[in-house]
């Protein structure tokens, strides 16, 4: 199933999640659709709906799609610096 902005697993409200790394944002939930932008790690997004593979997120007032495994409850920690 494709997530829809009309129904939400987080109903009735959106929930804030954070990108876990560089996250491609697409107009549709398919990898063959062009990437509109790439959000940097730690970017807050409002998640409207998710399946196991895709989430509908609201960013800059638009409803767009990101891979579900690219968002999480907390911002991802910065990578460890080499010593």
């Amino acid at each position: 199933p494709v997530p829809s902005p009309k129904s939400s697993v987080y109903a009735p409200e959106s929930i804030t999640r954070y990108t876990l790394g560089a996250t491609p944002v697409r107009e549709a939930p398919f990898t063959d659709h062009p990437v509109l932008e790439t959000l940097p790690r730690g970017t807050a997004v409002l998640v409207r709906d998710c399946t196991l593979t895709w989430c509908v997120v609201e960013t800059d007032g638009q409803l767009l799609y990101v891979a579900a495994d690219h968002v999480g409850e907390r911002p991802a920690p910065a990578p460890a610096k080499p010593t």
Side-chain angles (χ1 to χ4, degrees):
V2 173
S4 164
K6 296 179 182 175
S7 66
S8 177
V9 294
Y10 303 113
E13 299 175 9
S14 298
I15 191 164
T16 301
R17 292 290 186 245
Y18 300 90
T19 56
L20 300 176
T23 301
V25 178
R26 300 174 191 275
E27 195 172 271
F30 306 102
T31 56
D32 62 345
H33 279 257
V35 173
L36 301 175
E37 67 177 302
T38 300
L39 300 175
R41 178 183 54 243
T43 302
V45 292
L46 286 175
V47 174
R48 296 293 184 122
D49 192 13
C50 277
T51 65
L52 292 175
T53 54
W54 292 97
C55 290
V56 175
V57 298
E58 184 173 341
T59 179
D60 295 329
Q62 293 183 305
L63 295 177
L64 301 168
Y65 294 84
V66 298
D69 61 356
H70 279 77
V71 292
E73 291 184 20
R74 298 187 186 141
K81 294 187 180 196
T83 54

